[in-house]
Amino acid sequence: MNTDIEKAGPVFDGELVDDTLPQPRPRSRKGRFKTWWLRSPRVPAAFKDAAQARQAAKDAVVGLLRMPWRFAGAVARGVVTGARLWRRWVTVRDYREAAEGSEKLADKFTEIRELTLFRWRVTGAVVVAVAVTGGLVALLYGPRPLWIPGGVLAFALAVLGRRKDGSPGRKPTLAGPRTLTWTMDPQVLVDAFRDAKLIGKDELLRLVQRPTRVGDGWSVIVDLPATRKAADVVKNREALASALAVDEVQLIVERVRGNGGHAGRVSMWVADEDPYASPPLATPLLDVKSWDAWRPVPFGRDARDRRISLPLVWTSLLVGAIPRQGKTFAARLAAAGLILDAWVRLYVADFKAGKDWDAAAQVAHRFISGDDVEHVLGLKDWLVELVGEVQSRYRRMRDLDDVTCPESKVTPQMSRDISLNMPITAIFIDEVQVPLEDRTPVEVQGKTLTAGEYIGELLTWLAKKGPAAGIVLVLATQRPDSRTIPSGLRAVLGSRFALRVMDWRDSNIVLGEQMNTRGYDSSRLLPSHKGVGILRPDGDTDAGADVLAMTVRTYYMPNEDWQTICQRGRALREEAGTLTGHAAGEDTTPVLDSADVSKAIGAGQAAPTLPEPLASVVDYLGPDIDRREFVPSAELVEALDVDATSFGTQMGDLGCRSVRDRITEADGRVRQVRGYLTADLRRVRDEGVL
């Protein structure tokens, strides 16, 4: 054993520091003061931001110019209020009311009469004394000394007549219509929120951003009182517009999201006039030679005149409206940006059978126009071909290296590589209700389906699996009802654009469930607002990534401009060598592999049958049967067009008993109705399947 012990030096505990890295620089006093100044809530916003400072200066100038008129009005109200107070005093109103309350008015009548006469004498004596004193002063010193007591009296009357909540006589009733006195006076806002019952009588708003001119209107951001929600303000936008005396199309209310917002912060913008009354603007795509499909396509302008662009790659689009509201124009705007990209492959199916899409035939890889059975079956073959193409792309992407294909998604470089043959492929189907309602029988793996059912399954599969493989699906319909477009298909369409429809149910079918309760209902759009609709985008827009939906007026692109863009798109494809299919005069017979497609979408499997009316209820609800907790009976009776009594009896025989529950209607009212719990519907459905 070695007993030699060597004494070691002290042991230090430390950490290796790489002093070659950038080190934090100490902040100067000036920097610390600047940071405090910008972040301190005690410093007014006008001293932090140049725009706020300019607005504060404008408000100060306006206030100075309005001051004489406001002072005169306050003096006039003070005279009225003073006269009322004097009348109450001289008639001994307080003594009389006390006697009436104690039921001793007859006993006190003599005293009240004497006191009333005494106060009249005092009033007369004061008036005479003031008149004599004023006359003597004017006689001895002239009228100038009278300006001092006159000014003091005017100031006292102005203080007495200032506007103050709860004071009698301060808000006279005037003849004539209500109008918006708009310099965004904070008191006007508070009164409007109270009138709309969005805040209580004793609650106030907190001004986050002072009123500022933005475009042709005023913008302001406010914080609601604690426990009040911005979502309720958005939902009751019409009531707030009434309180502000403006049309609801002039009022935009949004919840402020992200780091600078919270559940009670509201952004408001009020237009000076109808923002959609002016002529529409032409599409800016007319001024460009080409467009990149990976960039959002210019789609329209919102009420603040902000440019709104629509992302199309990696998503899909549903456009719904009643006839003659601009549905086809909106779909062609989305197509225009893709036409101006020479590397995009286009499939166009026009079931209106008009001339709206004829110009696209010179750039489309596949093109049909008509509403006959042969056209429907042609679309079916296209979709079968595209399903096979999507499967092929996914198989080929698995074999690519991570540099070329980092994820199982088509990239811009891949879409422009001719050797990979994975271009962005866009399918535009106008009047999609025509093929979806077609009842022509088709054979699919030994099973007989209607053409409409099979096309619905193919479209649903493409909307689910196609976007990552570069498939863009754009559907337009003038019949946005639950029976025309399957709920399973609607649920997987990313972006929605609803122009004017008949009622809030149709609006919800296009935009999504319960969107009307969030303040978005396209049935409230005016008939004169052609091309104006509610856009619910799937992706970032110029209005912000956190915006749920917005009202947009689409750009104007008449048939002449549409033809110009299609001709430009053909020239670009000829130059790039990407003109194929129908546009190039080639054979457009689709290459079909029905067996693989049937396996992919599961069309070869027999669907379990459910008894009626449960089968119709399950088909109507679709995926909402797993999302909603309660469905009113009235909604089902109206949607299925059945007799309420027999429907209730049949559902009861199947084991679905109706119950009473509370629902929130479109106007925000809560009422109790009879309906069915979706848990019971799912239970009976599963039992029927088993």
Side-chain angles (χ1 to χ4, degrees), residues 296 309-317 463 467 492-497 535-541 545 547-550:
S309 299
L310 182 64
L312 289 175
V313 178
W314 290 348
T315 186
S316 49
L317 173 65
V492 293
L493 294 172
S495 298
R496 319 286 186 88
F497 185 59
L535 175 65
R536 186 178 183 181
D538 181 20
D540 295 349
T541 63
V547 176
L548 175 63
M550 69 202 79

Side-chain angles (χ1 to χ4, degrees), residues 388-433:
E389 171 67 15
V390 171
Q391 291 177 309
S392 173
R393 290 188 183 189
Y394 280 125
R395 286 194 295 265
R396 284 179 283 156
M397 279 191 281
R398 285 201 301 266
D399 298 331
L400 297 176
D401 58 78
D402 292 342
V403 176
T404 304
C405 182
E407 302 175 2
S408 293
K409 292 182 179 180
V410 171
T411 64
Q413 294 74 21
M414 292 170 60
S415 67
R416 294 179 173 87
D417 191 336
I418 297 180
S419 63
L420 294 178
N421 192 24
M422 296 187 190
I424 297 298
T425 303
I427 308 103
F428 290 86
I429 307 177
D430 198 0
E431 305 297 352
V432 70
Q433 75 275 0

Side-chain angles (χ1 to χ4, degrees), residues 33 161 253 286 320 400:
F33 176 76
V253 183
L286 290 171
L400 297 176

Side-chain angles (χ1 to χ4, degrees), residues 143-457:
R144 288 187 177 182
L146 297 179
W147 283 99
I148 297 176
V152 173
L153 178 62
F155 179 78
L157 291 174
V159 172
L160 183 64
R162 72 189 188 279
R163 294 189 182 276
K164 184 178 179 182
D165 291 344
S167 298
R170 308 297 169 85
K171 294 182 180 179
T173 302
L174 303 177
R178 293 185 299 118
T179 56
L180 177 64
T181 345
W182 203 256
T183 54
M184 282 300 262
D185 186 349
Q187 187 59 43
V188 174
L189 273 183
V190 174
D191 292 341
F193 271 77
R194 288 174 179 169
D195 293 341
K197 295 181 172 53
L198 296 172
I199 61 175
K201 188 180 299 183
D202 300 325
E203 293 179 323
L204 296 173
L205 300 174
R206 290 183 177 272
L207 197 62
V208 178
Q209 176 184 303
R210 67 181 304 111
T212 309
R213 287 291 295 180
V214 176
D216 295 330
W218 287 89
S219 175
V220 65
I221 298 178
V222 297
D223 274 351
L224 301 175
T227 73
R228 298 284 184 176
K229 297 182 292 185
D232 295 333
V233 180
V234 175
K235 182 171 63 177
N236 294 283
R237 181 173 64 95
E238 187 174 354
L240 183 58
S242 174
L244 291 171
V246 296
D247 193 281
E248 55 265 31
V249 299
Q250 295 176 239
L251 175 63
I252 295 179
V253 183
E254 298 171 349
R255 173 186 166 186
V256 181
R257 306 295 295 267
N259 294 331
H262 55 76
R265 181 161 293 179
V266 178
S267 171
M268 294 176 51
W269 184 81
V270 180
D272 299 331
E273 56 187 10
D274 185 352
Y276 308 116
S278 58
L281 299 176
T283 173
L285 291 175
L286 290 171
D287 301 326
V288 301
K289 180 180 179 181
S290 62
W291 192 261
D292 185 357
W294 291 84
R295 293 174 56 193
V297 176
F299 193 67
R301 297 264 176 177
D302 68 357
R304 304 190 201 188
D305 202 31
R306 296 179 298 185
R307 173 172 167 173
I308 302 299
S309 299
L310 182 64
L312 289 175
V313 178
W314 290 348
T315 186
S316 49
L317 173 65
L318 172 64
V319 181
I322 58 177
R324 295 176 299 280
Q325 291 299 315
K327 165 183 51 65
T328 300
F329 272 55
R332 292 197 314 193
L333 280 171
L338 303 181
I339 288 174
L340 291 179
D341 189 332
W343 304 96
V344 174
R345 184 178 296 168
L346 295 169
Y347 287 62
V348 179
D350 177 18
F351 287 96
K352 186 187 291 185
K355 59 186 297 185
D356 296 330
W357 290 90
D358 284 354
Q362 56 190 312
V363 293
H365 180 71
R366 299 271 190 267
F367 181 84
I368 56 174
S369 178
D371 56 359
D372 296 329
V373 174
E374 60 190 48
H375 300 112
V376 173
L377 297 179
L379 174 64
K380 184 261 298 181
D381 293 340
W382 288 8
L383 299 178
V384 171
E385 178 188 38
L386 286 171
V387 171
E389 171 67 15
V390 171
Q391 291 177 309
S392 173
R393 290 188 183 189
Y394 280 125
R395 286 194 295 265
R396 284 179 283 156
M397 279 191 281
R398 285 201 301 266
D399 298 331
L400 297 176
D401 58 78
D402 292 342
V403 176
T404 304
C405 182
E407 302 175 2
S408 293
K409 292 182 179 180
V410 171
T411 64
Q413 294 74 21
M414 292 170 60
S415 67
R416 294 179 173 87
D417 191 336
I418 297 180
S419 63
L420 294 178
N421 192 24
M422 296 187 190
I424 297 298
T425 303
I427 308 103
F428 290 86
I429 307 177
D430 198 0
E431 305 297 352
V432 70
Q433 75 275 0
V434 174
L436 289 175
E437 293 177 340
D438 192 276
R439 314 315 295 172
T440 304
V442 294
E443 291 290 330
V444 182
Q445 290 293 92
K447 304 295 182 181
T448 301
L449 298 175
T450 65
E453 291 173 346
Y454 191 38
I455 288 174
E457 292 178 354

